[in-house]
Amino acid sequence: MKLNILIALGYFSGVALAAGPPAPPPAPAVPWPPPSALVRWRDPAAVPQAAPPVTLHVLTFNDFHGNLQTPAAPDGRRPAGGAAVLAAYLKAHRARDAADTLIIHAGDLLGASPPITRLLQNEPAIEFLNLLADDRCEYGEATHFYSAASWRAHPDPCHVIGTPGNHEFDAGPQELLRLLNGGNATSGPFLENPWRGSRVPYVCANVRDRHTGRTLLPPYTVVVIHGIPVGVIGAVLRQTPTLVPAWATADLEFTDEATAINAAAAELQANGVHTILVTIHQGVVPVPAAHGFTWHGPLQRIVAQLDPAIDVVISGHTHNFTNALWPDRTGKPVLVVQDYSYGMAFGDLTLQLDPHSGTVIGKSARVLPAWADAGAGLHPDPAVAGLVKDAQRAVGPRVARVVGHTAVPLTRTMSAAGESVLGDLIADAQRAALSADIGLMNAGGLRADLAAGPLTWGDVLTLHPFGNRILALNMTGAQLLGVLEEQWSADPAAIPRILKTSGLYYEWDPARPAGSHVVLACDSQHHVLRAAAVYRVAVNDFLVGGGDDFKGFGGLPVATLGPFDTEALASYLKTVHGEIALPAGPRIFVTGGTGGPALKCGQASSSP
């Protein structure tokens, strides 16, 4: 069974207090379940030793986003993922040899979460990680700085390790540190009182406190496997400040990923640590090719700059599949994995370590589905299942209320032009909430499809987990056209950030150079957009604040402070008497594409 997993799983990750990054343009189907092929490498220079190699197992996952419950089946039939199911698989695999196994996640454990986690201030996601921890993992050690120089006397005893994604910074560094180190939220307590924080250490080498110059979190940790030190370095995408509210990262500096990783690797090597893993919240999009895949995204560039001491890169962010060997700066193969999202799959890696030199002489990986109806998924982990039930009871009454109905499914699946039915609906709702001429919505702010049938308040919160406020701006036609051009980066390899529209129709040409992609644009009456005319535009505060690298909204005065995105949708449901109709389209056209006939506008109107 194949499907466009980019759409089904929700490409990239948004922010908890601001809408997230963009969904990509349509791409060839990426396989689900994961390809079963084992990717492997063995050092051709390795010579047989009298002593057998030491085996290190590494289990990986990424972009869990607080999905305690099993998400919608990606292939339309077989369920996969969810906290108790994923825990069952991870613990079953760890049971093969617990002393030789690490569990590592690559960020966005929390944030952009369903109500079961979001309404409890993301604490259940940390509790899930705590339940994966082994007996050696202790509260109060989540942000402990381990020294490469003292690993022999003071190694990290915990064999579960995490790194932050962009979502971990949604509410600012103090909230991240509270979640990790303990202390009740102002709106708590929730399931645990007092909140004790994380038993699992977090590492991140490329985020610094501007005031102290120190990294916010430890750059690395060192665990010891049968006497061999293993360094684990963390990192998050440098562009995080464009994906979260500006205030959330005002006191932080996000540095170049490869530079920070290499500096940490040099420190580890200087102290005798020669097996080095990286867990980084950054990734690629795979596109099927004649022999395997081609990979598109910034992670390949980062890997190509890495020190040859780095053996494995555990990645995330794009909610996709990766299992490949890519060359570092010397041409040595680095094993790179990513395991989709929401706990639907996990990586099973095996490293062979030379017992004398402590270096990696062989490595292999598979990405495996976490089926909920087979294997370990038939016996969900009871402790994690108990956590899920507790969270369900805590939020159940708040999310069960039915607020509307849709006779047809409304999805984020995009046309060739970048338009989606769900995006049209939300742009309509936000435009209506402020009686605006035009509504604009970023795709990354839409976190779930709406299935046909009853629509609950929980569905609304799942669709809109960010708490964005809708604002009205007065913009000239020239300013609007400038914003539309910002959907394309100057980098031709970058993925366009196509906004969803209401009251605005336009056609774009992918072959045109940056700054001139828009061929034609017209208003709700199909009159050509006039450069000097002023239009009332409804847009969320994330975009106004420069999110997704949109600069054209910044500096414009806010004409009206509107409702939150959830309230805008609820208000829209009342105006249509709770029955959602299929939005009219198409609204966005692509030259030479399959987005429908070319756009035609009438004469310019005498008034906007």
Side-chain angles (χ1 to χ4, degrees), residues 282-304:
Q282 182 57 288
V284 293
V285 175
V287 177
H291 302 285
F293 298 94
T294 58
W295 310 92
H296 301 273
L299 184 61
Q300 271 194 304
R301 172 188 58 80
I302 295 169
V303 171

Side-chain angles (χ1 to χ4, degrees), residues 27-284:
V30 176
W32 175 260
S36 59
L38 180 73
V39 172
R40 67 175 71 195
W41 171 87
R42 182 168 178 82
D43 185 355
V47 295
Q49 300 287 333
V54 171
T55 298
L56 168 63
H57 297 288
V58 184
L59 304 172
T60 67
F61 69 101
N62 57 275
D63 294 274
F64 184 69
H65 288 290
N67 275 265
L68 300 184
Q69 298 163 298
T70 298
D75 66 358
R77 296 179 300 171
R78 296 190 64 185
V85 168
L86 177 61
Y89 279 96
L90 294 177
K91 290 184 178 182
H93 278 67
R94 181 169 61 187
R96 297 174 304 187
D97 196 339
D100 297 343
T101 301
L102 303 180
I103 296 177
I104 301 177
H105 84 75
D108 277 5
L109 178 80
L110 48 86
S113 305
I116 192 173
T117 304
R118 172 191 174 188
L119 295 177
L120 303 176
Q121 206 67 25
N122 286 306
E123 290 178 10
I126 298 292
E127 290 197 56
F128 162 63
L129 197 62
N130 287 342
L131 291 172
L132 292 178
D134 52 64
D135 293 340
R136 295 162 292 187
C137 304
E138 299 180 357
Y139 290 105
E141 297 295 309
T143 60
H144 180 80
F145 280 71
Y146 287 94
S147 170
S150 60
W151 66 262
R152 292 173 179 84
H154 303 289
D156 180 358
C158 186
H159 282 195
V160 183
I161 302 161
T163 198
N166 52 285
H167 274 290
E168 272 79 1
F169 295 95
D170 291 345
Q174 294 308 312
E175 175 61 8
L176 170 58
L177 293 176
R178 182 196 73 81
L179 283 166
L180 296 180
N181 294 329
N184 287 347
T186 55
S187 56
F190 302 112
L191 302 182
E192 180 180 272
N193 185 22
W195 172 247
R196 292 179 290 173
S198 173
R199 296 173 58 207
V200 171
Y202 265 59
V203 290
C204 188
N206 72 319
V207 180
R208 293 186 174 276
D209 185 308
R210 292 187 187 275
H211 303 293
T212 66
R214 247 188 128 194
T215 57
L216 180 71
L217 297 170
Y220 58 78
T221 191
V222 180
V223 297
V224 176
I225 304 295
H226 291 301
I228 298 178
V230 177
V232 181
I233 303 169
V236 64
L237 71 159
R238 187 178 185 180
Q239 295 78 16
T240 293
T242 70
L243 307 179
V244 302
W247 63 265
T249 56
D251 294 328
L252 301 176
E253 178 187 9
F254 290 74
T255 64
D256 180 75
E257 303 96 332
T259 301
I261 291 168
N262 286 340
E267 188 173 329
L268 289 167
Q269 291 180 83
N271 287 279
V273 181
H274 301 300
T275 292
I276 302 178
L277 317 179
V278 168
T279 174
I280 180 172
H281 194 70
Q282 182 57 288
V284 293

Side-chain angles (χ1 to χ4, degrees), residues 55 127 149 243 437 473 516 542 592 606:
T55 298
E127 290 197 56
L243 307 179
D437 301 307
L473 308 179
S516 61
F542 170 69
S606 58

